[in-house]
Amino acid sequence: MLITHDTRCALDTVVDLVNTAPEDDASPDALPDVGALEDFVRNHEISDVGMLSEFDLSAVRKIRSRFASVFAAPDARAAATLINDLVAAAGTTPRLTDHDGYEWHVHYFAPGASVADHLAADCGMALAFFVVAGEQERLRRCEAPDCRRAFVDLSRNRSRRYCDSRTCGNRLHVAAYRARRKEAAG
């Protein structure tokens, strides 16, 4: 599957956005305030965003939970319905642009859109491309029992199981190894 630079950036952004949500009631929200949202926007080089407010923070948190539902969708039809709703609510307005030293690419958000609408449109379209390509199953959650982080499986054979093989994957492999050694030792 060919993934353009801007689609890859949007995928990275939506995964990081979904992963800012608290994993449970005891976990902190990684977007606790407007300052954290400003950092998120800056770190992801989200363009055409003005001054951010509490209203923006609330709106971004709402679309974050809607994006999380896409990663939990049981099938392509359910994912398509969720994505269609997100993109339509954002008032999608595709347009070509070549800003900040990047070659021509498509922005799906309307000029002057809120940061929430910007994210819903651009990230929603990136997810839509996966559904259209029949690759919705690549939108996953980590299989480690103590981790539910979202990720996009871009491996050739669709075999990635963990959000990060160096942390979650390695931790589970070490635990399995220790359990086998303990069982063998009797």
Side-chain angles (χ1 to χ4, degrees), residues 20-30 64 146 148:
T20 64
E23 290 187 30
D24 53 38
D25 292 336
S27 301
D29 191 318
R64 174 181 68 185
D146 59 340
R148 296 299 302 151

Side-chain angles (χ1 to χ4, degrees), residues 13-51:
T13 299
V14 72
V15 165
D16 289 348
L17 178 63
V18 168
N19 289 334
T20 64
E23 290 187 30
D24 53 38
D25 292 336
S27 301
D29 191 318
L31 283 180
D33 54 35
V34 175
L37 179 57
E38 289 169 345
D39 290 343
F40 184 87
V41 166
R42 185 175 38 264
N43 291 339
H44 290 84
E45 298 178 358
I46 301 170
S47 61
D48 294 337
V49 175
M51 293 291 294

